[in-house]
Amino acid sequence: MNVTKRRIFEISTQLFAEKGYEATSIEEITAVVGIAKGTLYYHFESKEEMFNQLIQDGADFLKKSIDIKTRNVTNPVEKIKRIIIIQIKISKKFDKFMTMLFTQMWGNEARNKFVRQKIDEYINKIKPIAEEAINQGYFKNMTSEILTDLIFGQISCVLKRKLNDEKIEVEKLGEEYLNAILS
């Protein structure tokens, strides 16, 4: 990705997270990035296309991170721990993207449905690991849907901490979340 497109992504993510999709204009994005509208339209046909590409790239990054971190792990509980730690790290480092994701998942606009679709794809990546852990007896009286909801839901807790400027110790917090889920 070239420097200009990366800068457009960074600024638009920040503005979408802080102001919301509707309140962020193409004019504002181009002004903050310091480019002409034509330059932005060279990279994206519309604000909607830019937003969807941001969501797609972020969702792909989350899914790829799971693949990389769990590839050579056989114990499903260790896989879940690694997923939790990945989510904490990503939520901490890319808090603007995660805020944008969570704020735009509500509603009935096409973009809201697209965000929910990408979240569902991510959760469906976790589901087989949850099923494996349940089948091996690590989690009793729990469905894979509830377990994946618990795993995914911790992202919002990390975001709250990050947005409240709380110090986040990734490994320690990951262990605490895993222990809470296990109990």
Side-chain angles (χ1 to χ4, degrees), residues 76 123-135 144 148:
I123 288 172
N124 287 333
K125 191 94 172 144
I126 300 170
K127 193 173 180 178
I129 297 168
E131 289 171 349
E132 182 182 4
I134 290 168
N135 290 339
S144 60
T148 55

Side-chain angles (χ1 to χ4, degrees), residues 65-83:
S65 296
I66 288 177
D67 288 339
I68 291 168
K69 293 296 185 180
T70 62
R71 181 177 298 136
N72 297 319
V73 179
T74 57
N75 183 302
V77 173
E78 181 61 27
K79 287 180 184 181
I80 290 171
K81 179 180 177 183
R82 288 180 182 211
I83 291 168

Side-chain angles (χ1 to χ4, degrees), residues 20-21 34 40 120 134 139 159-160 167:
Y21 178 85
L40 186 133
D120 286 344
I134 290 168
F139 298 93
L159 278 176
K160 178 188 157 290
K167 186 176 179 189

